[in-house]
Amino acid sequence: MDQRGSGPAAPGLRRRVQRHSVRRFDVRRFGVRGSGGRRFGVLRCGDDRPVAERVTVDGMSLTTSSTSAAAAPEAVRRAALLAALDVVDGGPEERFGRITRIAREAFGVSGSFLNLAGESELTIKSQQSDRAFGPTVPLQDTFCGRTLGEVGPVVVEDATADVRYADMPMVVDDPNVRFYAGVPLRLGDDDLKVGTLCLVDPTPRMLDDDDLALLEELGVWAERELAAGADEERLRAVLAGLEPVPVTLPGYRIGGMSVPHGVVSGDLHEWHRSGDDLVLTLADVMGKGMSAGLLAANIRGALLARGDDRPADAVAALEAQVGPELSRAESFATLFHGRLAPATGHLDFADAGHGLVLHLRADGSEDVLRSFDLPLGLHPVGLGRTAGALDLGVGDVLVLVSDGALELWDSTLGSLSRLGALYRGCADIDDFLGRVRARAAEHDPGDDLTVVVVARDA
């Protein structure tokens, strides 16, 4: 195990390096701020203070006592919360690895760990150590497990001198831990303690107030990363609610998929019935991520409010509403918006700079519906939109895609023909969409990917 800094002159030198490292890293650059005014007392094990601690929480003085493990109901709640976050079984993640790397370098210790406590096991989510541990260990065999009942940070200067920790395997045997410092990681409305960010070293040592403040800020960063997982899950749930609901259209099959490049997609696809007709939309907002997703959601809502309008009228009204927002965001959006009469297969549409619709005919021929207009946000104010129309015959198929589909092959419009060939070789729409997903998994498009299919069978 790493024994860095154990020489006589090393501690002072290491402390000077730590000060420089702390300034260099400056965790506030990563969006970490204070802990909201919540400042807990520190339990420094091995000193002569009693186990009962005097702590301050939002200006109120409270007395708490140590417990060897959390009460069973709390352990169940803790495990349930971690399961909801879906972080325990996901393996190492760089967002946590950055935190533990900074902690190890800034404090010059042999190991730094981000641990998550379940009902009876501790999961090491991220570790920086010469020796790899875990990924799970019995909770009661760890410092983190034995300090779950503590309110605030815990500092153990020499574990061999403290009867509460001296018998632990990691103290008695390799890696012969002497020093431990951990800050709690809390989540949920009731600040439930779900784990710790901690430091260990085989040499006894102390932390001053500045050291502890840095460790606490790193802990706040870790809490926010954990909470971000919950936010992403909520966001995914919201986005799932924006997916079009299945529709039944006699004589037709309709299906689609969207794969965001990140958590949020700047693509949108929508279909719904309007009387006997089918209204069909696919749009692609420039960029990726949250801003593109918000603009796409706004476009979707504005179009749904105009669901009964002719496509050209709906797009003109949409432009007047969202054009200024797109300009302020220095963005634009391509859009295909059409209205299909099922009885005849006649489709009226407006295409705002999209031009990524493939018409596969039953006789084996194909066409790409080209766009002659500029995208939303770039089209000259007051200039009308070009109206388009086509007839979808029996056996014909429309394949609408965002530009991420082009990146599945050579980034040119020739990719549409390859997509069409892929469709013709599939048993049905679900088979086709599954193969597109597989292609995207093998050849990352580096962009949001959306595909919509409308097939006429009768």
Side-chain angles (χ1 to χ4, degrees), residues 6-223:
S6 59
L13 175 62
R14 184 170 67 237
R15 189 167 294 282
R16 289 195 293 275
V17 172
Q18 286 171 215
R19 290 290 180 264
H20 177 70
S21 298
V22 170
R23 297 297 179 268
R24 183 175 75 247
F25 288 124
D26 190 4
V27 294
R28 288 178 179 81
R29 290 192 298 112
F30 297 92
V32 178
R33 306 190 186 280
S35 53
R38 182 182 69 192
R39 178 74 176 182
F40 296 109
V42 184
L43 178 61
R44 297 183 182 273
C45 301
D47 61 21
D48 57 359
R49 290 186 296 171
V51 175
E53 285 294 307
R54 204 71 182 170
V55 299
T56 301
V57 183
D58 293 334
M60 297 183 293
S61 181
L62 305 173
T63 301
T64 64
S65 60
S66 172
T67 59
S68 60
E74 183 171 290
V76 173
R77 288 168 50 231
R78 186 172 64 239
L81 180 55
L82 290 174
L85 290 172
D86 196 25
V87 293
V88 172
D89 298 324
E93 295 183 57
E94 174 57 22
R95 59 188 177 127
F96 300 120
R98 287 188 299 168
I99 300 172
T100 50
R101 279 198 302 272
I102 289 175
R104 188 187 188 193
E105 293 181 28
F107 289 94
V109 291
S110 64
S112 60
F113 302 83
L114 195 158
N115 300 319
L116 302 174
E119 289 189 65
S120 59
E121 286 188 333
L122 187 82
T123 297
I124 302 174
K125 184 62 180 177
S126 177
Q127 58 181 305
Q128 307 297 328
S129 176
D130 291 339
R131 173 186 168 186
F133 297 90
T136 61
V137 293
L139 191 59
Q140 273 304 103
D141 287 346
T142 66
F143 285 95
C144 298
R146 294 193 182 187
T147 60
L148 275 172
E150 302 301 340
V151 176
V154 174
V155 177
V156 182
E157 295 170 0
D158 186 352
T160 61
D162 192 305
V163 295
R164 287 166 295 184
Y165 311 107
D167 66 329
M168 292 201 313
M170 67 180 62
V171 175
V172 176
D173 301 318
D174 188 56
N176 303 117
V177 173
R178 296 294 178 265
F179 166 78
Y180 168 87
V183 292
L185 303 179
R186 299 178 180 278
L187 291 175
D189 295 336
D190 55 352
D191 281 340
L192 181 65
K193 185 174 179 179
V194 297
T196 57
L197 176 67
C198 67
L199 314 170
V200 300
D201 200 82
T203 303
R205 58 183 293 176
M206 300 173 61
L207 292 185
D208 62 24
D209 289 344
D210 288 342
D211 293 328
L212 195 60
L214 171 61
L215 187 58
E216 286 185 294
E217 286 198 339
L218 289 170
V220 171
W221 183 5
E223 287 178 339

Side-chain angles (χ1 to χ4, degrees), residues 370-394:
R370 307 303 297 271
S371 176
F372 298 98
D373 289 348
L374 291 174
L376 300 173
L378 298 179
H379 198 73
V381 176
L383 184 64
R385 289 282 183 182
T386 303
L390 66 82
D391 291 313
L392 196 65
V394 176

